[in-house]
Amino acid sequence: TRTPPFQMCTPSTASGTAIVACVMLLITIGIIAATVRWLMRGPAAAKPADCHPIELLEHAPNNYELASSISFILPLVGWLNRLEDSPRWAWLLGAKDNAQWWTPDAPLGWIFRVLNKVDWWLYRVFGVRIVYMDRAGFLAKCAVLDKPAYKQCASDNSAEGFRLMLDACEADHISATGRMMLNQLMNGWLDTRVAVDNYCRAHPEVTATPIKRPVIIIGCPRTASTFMHKLLAQDPKLRKPLFWELAIPSPPPDPATYATDARRSLVATGFRSFDAISPHFYTDVHKYHYFGVDEIEEDSVLVHYAGVLAMHGIAFAGDSAYARWQRDPRTKEAAYLVHKKVLQILSCKWEQPVQWLLKAPTIHSCFLEQLLKVYPDACLVVTHRQPVEVLPSWCKFVLSPMCATLWRHGTKHRLAEAKAREQLELFERIEETIARVRQTHGAQMFDVEYASLMANPMAVVERCYAHFQMPLSPEARGAMATFIAGSGSGHQNKKFGKVSTQEHADFLGVVGLSADDVTERLRIAALP
């Protein structure tokens, strides 16, 4: 029989091991806390008449700069996290065999689990945090967006969105690790927004770059939209945004150096840092959404630059002031004007015209009127699937290990039911918006039913191209056939994730919903 990990050390060696572990833990937390506080410091708030330093930016910053800056301690953090895999240390560091008080809801590295717990205790007892948001510096940056030069339109209140997002980061359920990540990302999004505006102002010819008939995939998430996205992406005539260029969009990428652009390595460095924060982050999240530096990515990040966080349902509470602002469609035209500026920057050095292939179901599907105001000739591909299959799958993603990097320990189980109901309301908004817009823009929509797509993907593609009167070249057809063949019998058998109907039914019960509830509230989801 296997000896339990806690019996592998004698009492004398166990006490010595505990002392060494405690000393190493204190040293590591001290290094991380000091580094994070230094990196998260911000510039003093600029006087109203001053020019803030970010107003001089033309090249977008690296949103993963925090990870790059602490790269010198990542090997140490990684080594310490790997101690958890050693039987000698597992009993003390919270191995899965032992339900220690810091055992996570999802697999964060043990150092960050302890950091989150200590941060929470200090806040509860003394009102101080190890990791905090730099309010003064961030609000000074937000004030830049209030200036007329950075207003996209009369209804632009992006600055308010960023300010409310900052307030939401101080919520009780956000962990120290979550604040550290959100602080860096939010500053990066805001800096990139200003850099994009500055670049377009310095190079006005960029804003004359046409964005003609973008193909945009909408509908509820988890409806095979990713498969449809990657299938259509096999057409070489469609321009597909890669993760690295969405993350650092300016200066414009050059087709001649596109495959070797230095920004790829900058984003890759940031990705590698997740191995220290959460050793299994990629493995777990890739079960729901596959991403990578050179992978085709959703364009939802482009509206982040206007303060519209596509995944607010994961990060923040549904009743927060930020969530209410995010759901309000009246101020989202500015987000799509920023979205278009970024596409123009990414397109301006390519042979014209450029036809983009885009996908961001949780954002575009909710704000279709605003999207069509900026892209009036958009080709809308609407994916459909049975709601009782889709909603549980999406809720599992919302409650997936991604939450462990943002939420405080124990929060996931307390908020699971509320989060599930929030996602049901999101699905209702999506379907109601699509039905409303269909009345005036039905000719611009092509509906894709899940069963038909799984049965004969190529036939669906042919009908889609015929509907939008787009030529389907032999080269595109061949590439798509190869992609379909490589996906196995039905794409769901590979990285797109096959689902179990019984598992989904069980999950609905856990979060206080039933199949009848979902079907009744989403009857509108049926094909027209």
Side-chain angles (χ1 to χ4, degrees):
T1 60
R2 181 174 177 269
T3 304
F6 56 81
Q7 294 181 6
M8 291 186 177
C9 298
T10 64
S12 59
T13 59
S15 60
T17 299
I19 293 173
V20 173
C22 289
V23 171
M24 293 174 63
L25 178 61
L26 290 174
I27 293 174
T28 304
I29 289 179
I31 292 174
I32 293 176
T35 304
V36 168
R37 277 185 172 270
W38 181 79
L39 291 170
M40 295 179 73
R41 78 199 191 289
K47 297 178 181 178
D50 291 344
C51 174
H52 193 282
I54 66 170
E55 293 184 65
L56 304 177
L57 289 175
E58 279 191 26
H59 293 180
N62 179 15
N63 291 341
Y64 299 90
E65 185 178 359
L66 176 63
S68 302
S69 301
I70 65 173
S71 59
F72 70 96
I73 68 167
L74 289 182
L76 171 62
V77 173
W79 179 79
L80 290 172
N81 276 333
R82 285 194 295 274
L83 291 177
E84 192 170 15
D85 297 327
S86 169
R88 186 168 207 175
W89 294 88
W91 69 275
L92 181 66
L93 302 182
K96 293 180 181 178
D97 292 342
N98 301 286
Q100 304 287 352
W101 54 265
W102 52 56
T103 299
D105 293 335
L108 277 179
W110 70 270
I111 290 176
F112 288 92
R113 301 201 302 267
V114 175
L115 174 69
N116 290 344
K117 179 64 72 172
V118 173
D119 179 86
W120 172 243
W121 278 359
L122 288 175
Y123 180 69
R124 289 292 300 271
V125 177
F126 301 107
V128 297
R129 295 190 184 277
I130 296 176
V131 179
Y132 61 94
M133 305 296 291
D134 174 32
R135 293 190 65 86
F138 190 77
L139 291 175
K141 288 184 178 182
C142 289
V144 173
L145 296 186
D146 284 324
K147 297 183 178 182
Y150 294 95
K151 292 283 188 180
Q152 307 299 312
C153 57
S155 63
D156 186 356
N157 69 343
S158 302
E160 180 65 10
F162 276 114
R163 285 189 282 263
L164 293 174
M165 193 187 301
L166 177 65
D167 292 338
C169 288
E170 299 293 350
D172 177 72
H173 68 279
I174 302 295
S175 68
T177 306
R179 287 193 301 278
M180 181 175 66
M181 295 177 63
L182 288 168
N183 183 83
Q184 178 59 32
L185 290 172
M186 288 162 53
N187 275 281
W189 295 333
L190 210 160
D191 291 351
T192 299
R193 159 66 179 278
V194 175
V196 164
D197 282 343
N198 289 344
Y199 189 89
C200 289
R201 194 158 42 248
H203 306 273
E205 69 279 3
V206 169
T207 56
T209 304
I211 305 295
K212 294 291 187 181
R213 302 192 73 207
V215 178
I216 304 176
I217 299 174
I218 61 173
C220 290
R222 314 303 292 171
T223 53
S225 56
T226 296
F227 177 68
M228 191 67 183
H229 189 209
K230 292 184 181 292
L231 178 59
L232 295 179
Q234 305 308 307
D235 188 342
K237 290 186 177 180
L238 293 176
R239 174 79 189 278
K240 290 78 62 173
L242 302 186
F243 195 105
W244 67 263
E245 60 182 332
L246 293 175
I248 313 178
S250 67
D254 191 326
T257 59
Y258 188 72
T260 58
D261 196 293
R263 285 170 281 191
R264 296 170 61 256
S265 62
L266 293 176
V267 176
T269 300
F271 276 5
R272 285 194 295 272
S273 70
F274 282 102
D275 292 335
I277 295 175
S278 180
H280 308 287
F281 181 85
Y282 285 121
T283 301
D284 291 322
V285 175
H286 281 179
K287 296 175 184 176
Y288 301 91
H289 178 69
Y290 191 85
F291 65 96
V293 172
D294 292 310
E295 290 287 333
I296 301 165
E297 187 52 62
E298 296 188 5
D299 55 292
S300 55
V301 68
L302 302 189
V303 296
H304 293 177
Y305 303 143
V308 181
L309 181 54
M311 300 304 293
H312 77 279
I314 289 180
F316 306 130
D319 59 352
S320 66
Y322 174 76
R324 291 192 295 272
W325 177 90
Q326 198 275 348
R327 290 192 295 263
D328 187 351
R330 294 172 296 179
T331 59
K332 299 307 178 287
E333 180 184 352
Y336 281 104
L337 290 172
V338 172
H339 184 283
K340 183 176 181 179
K341 276 187 177 179
V342 177
L343 291 187
Q344 289 174 320
I345 289 176
L346 297 178
S347 304
C348 65
K349 290 191 175 182
W350 294 66
E351 182 180 352
Q352 302 299 322
V354 174
Q355 186 174 19
W356 283 91
L357 172 63
L358 307 172
K359 167 188 174 273
T362 58
I363 283 293
H364 300 332
S365 304
C366 291
F367 306 116
L368 274 178
E369 288 98 341
Q370 291 70 36
L371 180 149
L372 288 169
K373 191 171 183 178
V374 175
Y375 301 111
D377 57 354
C379 303
L380 304 175
V381 178
V382 190
T383 55
H384 300 264
R385 190 177 180 182
Q386 287 298 323
V388 291
E389 297 177 356
V390 174
L391 182 66
S393 178
W394 175 246
C395 288
K396 289 179 182 179
F397 173 66
V398 170
L399 299 171
S400 73
M402 184 178 291
C403 300
T405 60
L406 301 175
W407 290 0
R408 187 170 53 80
H409 170 68
T411 301
K412 170 180 167 180
H413 304 290
R414 179 166 56 85
L415 296 182
E417 184 172 343
K419 285 295 175 186
R421 293 190 178 278
E422 287 172 17
Q423 303 318 304
L424 179 55
E425 292 172 2
L426 169 66
F427 277 44
E428 285 184 301
R429 289 197 303 276
I430 287 174
E431 296 298 347
E432 289 169 359
T433 301
I434 291 175
R436 184 174 64 250
V437 173
R438 189 184 295 277
Q439 297 176 8
T440 54
H441 294 80
Q444 291 178 243
M445 294 183 177
F446 175 77
D447 294 289
V448 177
E449 198 270 323
Y450 178 81
S452 298
L453 182 62
M454 294 300 98
N456 194 339
M458 204 63 222
V460 173
V461 169
E462 290 170 350
R463 293 197 301 271
C464 177
Y465 274 64
H467 179 83
F468 294 125
Q469 299 181 348
M470 293 166 50
L472 181 59
S473 67
E475 183 182 5
R477 189 185 294 272
M480 291 177 183
T482 300
F483 174 79
I484 294 169
S487 297
S489 178
H491 79 273
Q492 69 273 35
N493 289 336
K494 292 220 171 178
K495 63 188 177 184
F496 300 97
K498 187 172 183 177
V499 298
S500 165
T501 302
Q502 184 57 49
E503 287 179 0
H504 285 346
D506 294 343
F507 177 82
L508 287 175
V510 169
V511 296
L513 296 173
S514 70
D516 290 340
D517 293 334
V518 175
T519 302
E520 177 65 23
R521 293 181 63 174
L522 294 177
R523 282 182 302 175
I524 194 172
L527 283 170

